[in-house]
Amino acid sequence: MTSFLILLSVLGTAFLSAVFGMAGGLILMGVLAALLPVSTAMVTHGAVQSVSNGWRAILLRRFILWRALGIYAIGAAIAAAGLASVSVILPRAWLFIVLGLVPALVWLPKERLHLDARRPAHAVACGFLVTGLNVVAGVSGPLLDVFFQNAEADRRAIVATKAATQVAAHGVKIAYYVGPALAAGVGPPVWLLAAAAPLAILGTTLGSRVLHRLSDADFRNWTKRIVTAIGAIYIMRGLILLAG
């Protein structure tokens, strides 16, 4: 039953991610954190999201902001090097609370924050901070969005470039957690990851068709509403676990 729920979640959240860029990954992380040990959830989420984001980046490859992506990779590499010397695995309750707080970043005032992932210094900071948050919380989409909300690009360029950056971020996360997961004997079954991959691709393909029909305004407004609602649910879940 657990495997069925995970595979169903992979399909549905890949669809959402293809449309809104971040909501699907946030939901999937919550589902996996509820069903699996934290290190296993991180590895599974990273593997599935790498496929989903990778396929989305391939589908929208002509829209990718390649210069911004290359500079982002510099910051991501710095974060990966720093994380190699520390070990941080949050308890389940605090993982949900941190997951719930991450979406609040989408409400940071655009007029006061002039971050733009197309600027070199901002792109390096984006790579460093997004990769770090992705390892600790499992997701970093809302923070990534802060760096893209002022970018002069349409929704397809934003989704495509964010997808490409997330492949790198999830790769670092897998490398960080796979050792503890295997050491504890709770590594994700290979068959489950193999079954999840085509579902992630299918959901991403279907969602990409919907993305092309959305206006830029609808894309941004619905993304904020969805991730905020998810965040509130996660915070309540974490507080309940702490109280119990």
Side-chain angles (χ1 to χ4, degrees):
M1 185 62 178
T2 297
S3 297
F4 174 76
L5 289 175
I6 290 174
L7 293 176
L8 185 62
S9 298
V10 167
L11 176 62
T13 56
F15 176 86
L16 278 177
S17 287
V19 179
F20 298 109
M22 71 176 95
L26 191 61
I27 294 174
L28 182 60
M29 189 65 240
V31 171
L32 294 174
L35 298 174
L36 303 171
V38 172
S39 58
T40 311
M42 290 291 191
V43 174
T44 304
H45 185 269
V48 171
Q49 288 295 99
S50 292
V51 173
S52 179
N53 281 284
W55 184 244
R56 184 157 65 253
I58 290 172
L59 290 176
L60 299 170
R61 59 189 177 278
R62 67 181 183 278
F63 298 104
I64 292 176
L65 305 173
W66 290 104
R67 182 172 180 271
L69 177 61
I71 300 174
Y72 166 97
I74 297 173
I78 296 172
L83 287 166
S85 62
V86 297
S87 177
V88 180
I89 300 180
L90 296 177
R92 193 187 307 270
W94 282 105
L95 176 58
F96 272 107
I97 291 173
V98 173
L99 278 174
L101 292 173
V102 170
L105 293 167
V106 302
W107 294 99
L108 291 175
K110 178 179 178 180
E111 62 277 5
R112 295 185 181 181
L113 283 177
H114 298 287
L115 298 174
D116 186 344
R118 302 189 73 168
R119 297 180 181 178
H122 294 188
V124 172
C126 179
F128 179 81
L129 294 173
V130 166
T131 301
L133 181 61
N134 198 58
V135 168
V136 174
V139 296
S140 54
L143 176 59
L144 185 60
D145 191 60
V146 170
F147 284 90
F148 277 88
Q149 64 183 354
N150 293 313
E152 294 184 2
D154 73 10
R155 64 195 181 284
R156 292 165 297 186
I158 291 173
V159 170
T161 308
K162 285 167 63 176
T165 65
Q166 289 291 274
V167 173
H170 288 302
V172 174
K173 183 171 67 180
I174 293 171
Y176 190 83
Y177 284 100
V178 70
L182 293 176
V186 292
V190 175
W191 73 264
L192 181 63
L193 299 180
L199 292 177
I201 291 174
L202 175 60
T204 299
T205 302
L206 295 175
S208 295
R209 296 176 182 176
V210 177
L211 173 66
H212 289 293
R213 299 173 185 172
L214 281 179
S215 68
D216 287 345
D218 286 341
F219 166 73
R220 294 179 188 275
N221 289 335
W222 277 106
T223 297
K224 281 188 174 183
R225 294 170 185 171
I226 291 171
V227 299
T228 300
I230 297 167
I233 293 171
Y234 284 170
I235 290 175
M236 289 188 287
R237 170 68 171 164
L239 292 175
I240 290 172
L241 288 174
L242 283 177

